Amino acid sequence: MNRYCDKTRGWLHALGKIRQPALWIVFLLGFSVSAFSQSPAHFVGSESCQKCHAEAYKGWKQTRMANVVRDPKAHPEAVLGDFTHANPIVTFDIGQVAFVYGSRWKQRYFTKRGDDYYPLPAQWDIQKSQWLPYHVEAGTDWWVGFYGATNFDRPTGPTCDGCHSVNYNIETKQVTEWNVGCEKCHGPGSVHVAHPTRQNIINPDKLDYVRGNDTCIQCHSQGRPLSNPISGKYYDWPVGFMPGQRLADYWKLEDLKPGTTNFYQYADMTAHKNRMQGNDFVQSNMYHREIRCSSCHDVHSNQNTASLIAKGNQLCLSCHTKNNPAGLKGTVSQHTHHAENSAGSQCVACHMPKIEQTIKDNYVHAHTFRFISPSDTAKSGIPNPCTSCHTDKSNEWATASLKTWSSVSPWRVAQ
């Protein structure tokens, strides 16, 4: 309050010096704009951003972030599952589906009962074009024990919707908009829309690296709110968190235990399941060197499947140059011992292996950036990139091969 009183006294002092009526009008208009900018901002929806940020809006609108949840009645083209052929797994029809969720690995289907949404009991495996059952089993996600045994005991509001919408209200169960809209990352935009300045909107790239990355980690992580239960319900997303705040004040990442393999993790604490990119990333040297998610991903672009700012090794080698202590010292093929443009010479093949399960037999990239050696597989069962690619070979073969590599430390990769 003192800050605003001091500001008002300053305005009044200036007011006493004004002698011309025309300047009074200008002064009062300026005061009204200033006073308005101090009022609490509220959510206005992504379309309010389009006029001034047309290019960013157009790019974002085409991303999966903007289209993760869709109404099949308004967007019949979003339905990927085969509803034309009978299948014993599919005990519902498309008319019962209020929302389809997902468009890359899997598609799930939500129905509405009263003012809540519930997951239906089948999901479409997009990569393999087949139906699979959908039911979160006991002993998997931490929240399962706090809800009933069937899908219709598990509303998506507490378990899903906070990350699939902007401004989900846990009391009214209403949202400003579905999907990951502009204000999910930039905060409520009413003040900025009325009087655009760089000071009255959140830009995650202008925050410190912890709070900047928290903008993404709020949804791309496994954890639970610090204050669970909230109004008698257990939430699987950080209720109350806003961009610009510290996520750790609202959200605790899942505890990882060295040497343990379970639903969440492998024994070296690399994630075992999808949606744990944040849990991986905060362990990495990249994070502790203050690299940001946005250093690699552009959420306003749909140029490729992961919204990467560059393709393939071009992205990694833009930073890992020969002048960087963590950079490449020779050619790519000298480093990888694979042909220059082969799958084995892609940086992500060894440093971000696809070992984290998103749906049966479909995997996504790890984000610890650690090389997992064959000896780690032998000790704890975590998949390594060598035998994950060379599926016909053994860990012993991989270890023996690595021992012949003179360009890397044998103590790190071959023991």
Side-chain angles (χ1 to χ4, degrees):
M1 180 62 74
N2 289 339
R3 179 164 59 92
Y4 298 120
C5 290
D6 290 344
K7 187 171 184 179
T8 303
R9 282 194 290 269
W11 279 108
L12 292 174
H13 177 73
L15 188 63
K17 296 185 177 182
I18 294 178
R19 298 290 183 263
Q20 299 180 35
L23 292 179
W24 277 71
I25 296 172
V26 173
F27 181 92
L28 291 173
L29 285 172
F31 181 83
S32 66
V33 168
S34 176
F36 177 81
S37 68
Q38 300 298 338
S39 63
H42 58 271
F43 291 90
V44 292
S46 296
E47 288 189 5
S48 300
C49 309
Q50 182 177 8
K51 181 180 177 181
C52 295
H53 302 281
E55 185 175 350
Y57 179 92
K58 181 180 178 181
W60 160 81
K61 192 68 174 174
Q62 299 175 58
T63 65
R64 290 196 308 278
M65 302 278 275
N67 297 283
V68 65
V69 177
R70 307 192 85 181
D71 178 351
K73 296 177 181 63
H75 299 281
E77 75 282 0
V79 179
L80 302 179
D82 180 5
F83 284 90
T84 62
H85 299 89
N87 189 302
I89 295 174
V90 185
T91 57
F92 55 92
D93 59 55
I94 192 61
Q96 296 171 266
V97 176
F99 284 136
V100 299
Y101 158 72
S103 62
R104 185 180 181 190
W105 302 107
K106 57 185 176 283
Q107 188 166 83
R108 292 174 180 161
Y109 303 90
F110 300 162
T111 193
K112 192 172 187 181
R113 293 186 174 186
D115 57 359
D116 279 314
Y117 295 90
Y118 296 86
L120 289 160
Q123 59 186 333
W124 181 251
D125 181 337
I126 296 170
Q127 303 298 308
K128 296 181 176 61
S129 297
Q130 63 180 354
W131 287 105
L132 297 171
Y134 177 64
H135 178 257
V136 181
E137 299 297 332
T140 55
D141 278 306
W142 67 266
W143 53 262
V144 173
F146 297 101
Y147 291 90
T150 75
N151 284 9
F152 295 111
D153 297 317
R154 303 169 177 180
T156 62
T159 58
C160 306
D161 293 345
C163 283
H164 300 159
S165 68
V166 175
N167 189 34
Y168 182 90
N169 186 310
I170 65 171
E171 302 296 334
T172 66
K173 303 175 186 176
Q174 299 297 306
V175 302
T176 297
E177 65 180 303
W178 289 103
N179 296 303
V180 184
C182 304
E183 292 165 299
K184 190 69 180 176
C185 302
H186 295 282
S190 62
V191 172
H192 183 72
V193 169
H195 181 59
T197 74
R198 293 182 179 180
Q199 287 70 44
N200 60 14
I201 196 70
I202 296 295
N203 181 345
D205 279 343
K206 302 299 182 184
L207 300 173
D208 64 76
Y209 84 99
V210 172
R211 291 184 300 148
N213 283 321
D214 282 350
T215 309
C216 304
I217 293 173
Q218 64 170 310
C219 289
H220 289 273
S221 65
Q222 183 67 50
R224 61 193 77 184
L226 300 183
S227 57
N228 255 349
I230 301 168
S231 300
K233 295 181 180 177
Y234 288 83
Y235 286 82
D236 197 27
W237 49 273
V239 177
F241 172 76
M242 293 284 184
Q245 297 175 329
R246 287 180 64 88
L247 183 60
D249 294 335
Y250 296 84
W251 185 244
K252 184 180 187 300
L253 294 179
E254 198 66 37
D255 288 332
L256 298 178
K257 304 174 181 64
T260 297
T261 296
N262 58 26
F263 176 70
Y264 295 116
Q265 65 165 86
Y266 291 106
D268 77 335
M269 300 190 298
T270 299
H272 186 216
K273 62 162 289 191
N274 185 29
R275 210 199 84 175
M276 292 185 67
Q277 292 89 351
N279 304 67
D280 274 356
F281 187 41
V282 298
Q283 302 177 50
S284 71
N285 285 332
M286 302 276 276
Y287 180 82
H288 293 288
R289 297 290 188 272
E290 304 190 8
I291 302 301
R292 299 165 182 261
C293 304
S294 58
S295 299
C296 299
H297 299 277
D298 178 5
V299 297
H300 303 122
S301 170
N302 196 37
Q303 294 300 309
N304 48 67
T305 54
S307 296
L308 296 171
I309 63 174
K311 292 182 178 180
N313 289 350
Q314 180 185 350
L315 174 60
C316 304
L317 298 179
S318 64
C319 289
H320 291 274
T321 64
K322 293 180 180 180
N323 296 325
N324 184 330
L328 202 62
K329 298 303 183 287
T331 66
V332 170
S333 60
Q334 286 172 338
H335 179 73
T336 65
H337 292 250
H338 288 74
E340 186 77 21
N341 295 312
S342 67
S345 271
Q346 296 301 304
C347 303
V348 296
C350 292
H351 295 283
M352 299 181 69
K354 283 189 174 183
I355 60 173
E356 302 183 3
Q357 189 172 49
T358 180
I359 191 174
K360 183 179 174 62
D361 298 327
N362 287 318
Y363 297 88
V364 298
H365 290 287
H367 278 70
T368 62
F369 305 99
R370 289 193 291 261
F371 174 75
I372 300 166
S373 72
S375 62
D376 292 326
T377 307
K379 292 172 186 174
S380 65
I382 180 173
N384 70 77
C386 302
T387 56
S388 293
C389 184
H390 298 277
T391 55
D392 59 331
K393 302 294 186 179
S394 66
N395 289 324
E396 292 74 21
W397 167 84
T399 300
S401 296
L402 288 170
K403 284 181 178 179
T404 68
W405 291 17
S406 60
S407 57
V408 295
S409 166
W411 311 111
R412 180 165 180 260
V413 300
Q415 287 196 6

